[in-house]
Amino acid sequence: PITKTCSPCFHSFLFLFMDWQQQEHAHAVRLQHDYGIDWARIHSIVRIGGAYTCTKCCHKPQLPDLGRVMEHIRTSAHQSRIRDDTYRADPFKDIPASQWQFMMLEQEGWVRCLLCNKVCDLDHLESKMHKNRIQWPEAYMPRVPLPPPSPAAPVMPPPPPLD
């Protein structure tokens, strides 16, 4: 009888391919768990051919699998770009409404804390300086300059008496 035998090389390849598929699946599950079902859109990850690319950070495919995608998403450069985009979309999102009266939206799109004269983000809101100043805001709010006095109207002499 003729028996078909497989080469050891084929078995190794098959084992590695199956292992890679299991890892890809595990990475896909982890990405959805950590970043939500819409993780690819939120992080601007697209699949081009057989590789992935991040359109926020570079425009050529450079991430061969979801493991590399996960590593890239966790880099500080990528996180910074995502955070900046989220901030630009709604700069007051993380600021409690009770503190909005102490904030000003600058022309460049940043929120400035008027009490501390600093750009306001979560780190600033948790800072010791801000927490101290928020207790006595009237002492730290900038004084609004009074408008210049209007020029005095010329003093007219009283009318002559009626005789």
Side-chain angles (χ1 to χ4, degrees):
I2 300 176
T3 58
K4 201 173 197 180
T5 59
C6 298
S7 69
C9 184
F10 178 75
H11 281 289
S12 296
F13 170 77
L14 191 59
F15 177 75
L16 289 174
F17 181 73
M18 289 175 56
D19 186 46
W20 178 82
Q21 281 185 319
Q22 290 172 340
Q23 288 179 0
E24 278 291 279
H25 178 71
H27 290 310
V29 169
R30 185 64 191 213
L31 283 164
Q32 285 186 7
H33 177 268
D34 291 353
Y35 303 106
I37 195 150
D38 209 12
W39 65 268
R41 185 190 57 77
I42 293 167
H43 289 277
S44 300
I45 303 294
V46 294
R47 188 170 186 164
I48 300 173
Y52 297 89
T53 189
C54 174
T55 59
K56 289 261 182 248
C57 302
C58 50
H59 298 285
K60 60 182 181 181
Q62 82 283 13
L63 306 166
D65 57 42
L66 291 177
R68 298 303 150 304
V69 169
M70 200 161 30
E71 289 172 1
H72 172 73
I73 286 175
R74 291 178 179 161
T75 63
S76 60
H78 180 81
Q79 290 293 321
S80 177
R81 286 183 177 100
I82 296 299
R83 191 172 39 251
D84 287 350
D85 284 353
T86 304
Y87 185 88
R88 282 189 204 104
D90 184 6
F92 286 93
K93 181 182 79 143
D94 296 325
I95 301 171
S98 62
Q99 294 191 27
W100 288 357
Q101 61 185 328
F102 308 120
M103 306 297 158
M104 175 183 74
L105 185 61
E106 293 182 330
Q107 199 169 14
E108 299 83 21
W110 299 104
V111 175
R112 179 160 297 277
C113 173
L114 297 173
L115 300 176
C116 309
N117 196 28
K118 297 195 179 281
V119 171
C120 189
D121 57 11
L122 284 177
D123 293 333
H124 175 69
L125 291 173
E126 294 299 317
S127 72
K128 187 175 181 179
M129 171 193 265
H130 182 77
K131 287 181 176 181
N132 285 336
R133 291 183 178 203
I134 202 73
Q135 292 178 10
W136 298 283
E138 60 281 350
Y140 295 101
M141 280 297 284
R143 304 277 188 266
V144 177
L146 295 174
S150 60
V155 178
M156 301 292 287
L162 296 171
D163 291 344

